[in-house]
Amino acid sequence: MTQPVVRIPDAKVALSTASVYPEPTAAAFEIAARLGYDGVEVMVWTDPVSQDIDALRRLSDYHQVPILAVHAPCLLITQRVWSTDPWTKLQRARSAAERLGASTVVVHPPFRWQRSYARDFVRGVWRMAGETDVRFAVENMYPWRYRDREMLAYAPDWDVTKDDYRHFTIDLSHTSTARTEALDMVDRMGDRLAHVHLGDGNGSNKDEHLVPGRGKQPCAELLERLAARGFTGHIVVEVNTRRAMSSAEREADLAEALAFTRLHLASPTGVPRR
């Protein structure tokens, strides 16, 4: 007897522009269109195109690839992108999302040395979320480790489920680096899980962002669980392809990641995994 197939037409599979690095932001739109991704998430970083709303709109229109999310510039290398003030960065990310038709802004918790920002972060994100229809989805991070030393680099906490946010992003490469149980974290996020960064990892101290299926994270199980519950957020392939020996190899990795994601989002119900 044929098993019913779960389909979640409202869930979109997007390509993070970070996944094509060291190729530029513009290349992500071309690759996403060619491979059949539903859209892109723009990682705002030092590439000037990633910061230019008009340029991003032109790329989206030309390739017919919608921008589904904007990742605010929260990395160490983006400390001066869109201002040095972290609240200004979030305000500009919200404005970019509104102008580009994106539904989600992804934001990391503050670094611990951003003391004033960290103290008001939870309240401030709630305040900003109440001013727009754009979702601020706060992303889980991880402790920084070097040999046998561990540093808690984020505040209030790298485990964002310890604080009260309206929406969450789950990143499976980050759960790997944190050595925490991804599905337990998803359970704690509950209905507030709005956004997924799909990548894999083997528990390294480094944030690996492997193609899903190449590490030890429960990527398939998570996708199947989301399918079963009718998840309508975005699933963003965020993988590291910088070691690819050619553009063709990079594209093959991104095609494999997309195929893996679609396969497990449309998996038969009632069939036990093997």
Side-chain angles (χ1 to χ4, degrees):
M1 180 177 177
T2 303
Q3 294 289 340
V5 174
V6 174
R7 300 195 183 279
I8 49 173
D10 293 329
K12 305 294 185 183
V13 182
L15 177 66
S16 169
T17 60
S19 295
V20 306
Y21 181 83
E23 294 192 47
T25 299
F29 286 84
E30 180 182 352
I31 293 170
R34 188 160 53 243
L35 295 181
Y37 279 85
D38 296 319
V40 300
E41 175 180 300
V42 173
M43 170 70 78
V44 180
W45 69 300
T46 56
D47 181 350
V49 170
S50 74
Q51 306 171 34
D52 187 330
I53 307 307
D54 291 334
L56 292 169
R57 185 182 290 113
R58 287 194 296 270
L59 284 166
S60 177
D61 291 345
Y62 179 79
H63 293 288
Q64 293 295 290
V65 173
I67 296 169
L68 302 179
V70 173
H71 195 310
C74 304
L75 305 174
L76 284 173
I77 64 169
T78 61
Q79 292 298 290
R80 295 186 178 276
V81 172
W82 279 358
S83 169
T84 57
D85 176 64
W87 290 115
T88 299
K89 291 173 183 285
L90 293 195
Q91 290 163 358
R92 292 191 63 172
R94 180 190 68 189
S95 176
E98 290 170 343
R99 292 172 60 190
L100 293 167
S103 66
T104 304
V105 167
V106 178
V107 57
H108 293 179
F111 294 112
R112 296 188 75 85
W113 55 85
Q114 295 175 302
R115 294 181 181 177
S116 176
Y117 178 47
R119 277 196 301 271
D120 195 43
F121 183 68
V122 178
R123 292 189 300 271
V125 170
W126 269 99
R127 184 170 58 248
M128 293 187 71
E131 299 169 351
T132 179
D133 291 333
V134 173
R135 296 175 297 190
F136 282 86
V138 186
E139 182 175 4
N140 62 300
M141 297 306 291
Y142 47 84
W144 290 5
R145 297 188 182 93
Y146 179 71
R147 295 181 179 172
D148 59 346
R149 297 183 180 180
E150 182 175 292
M151 182 177 81
L152 300 179
Y154 300 97
D157 204 285
W158 62 264
D159 181 351
V160 293
T161 65
K162 293 183 178 180
D163 291 287
D164 181 27
Y165 299 109
R166 182 178 293 181
H167 294 111
F168 292 112
T169 296
I170 184 79
D171 185 307
L172 268 68
S173 180
H174 294 176
T175 58
S176 174
T177 305
R179 298 170 193 164
T180 191
E181 292 295 331
L183 296 181
D184 288 347
M185 180 172 280
V186 168
D187 287 341
R188 294 195 298 275
M189 291 178 173
D191 291 340
R192 292 180 291 171
L193 175 61
H195 202 71
V196 176
H197 279 171
L198 192 65
D200 216 330
N202 288 309
S204 167
N205 288 347
K206 296 180 179 180
D207 187 15
E208 296 173 283
H209 285 280
L210 304 177
V211 171
R214 296 184 184 177
K216 298 177 181 177
Q217 288 299 288
C219 298
E221 291 87 346
L222 173 61
L223 292 169
E224 291 165 10
R225 180 182 292 194
L226 294 177
R229 81 182 208 191
F231 180 72
T232 58
H234 303 320
I235 296 158
V236 179
V237 169
E238 190 181 73
V239 297
N240 184 346
T241 64
R242 69 188 64 181
R243 292 186 178 180
M245 299 301 292
S246 65
S247 294
E249 183 177 335
R250 173 172 295 108
E251 193 164 321
D253 284 346
L254 298 176
E256 179 183 330
L258 177 61
F260 179 100
T261 305
R262 293 206 190 282
L263 172 66
H264 292 286
L265 283 176
S267 59
T269 60
V271 177
R273 287 186 51 78
R274 297 182 181 179

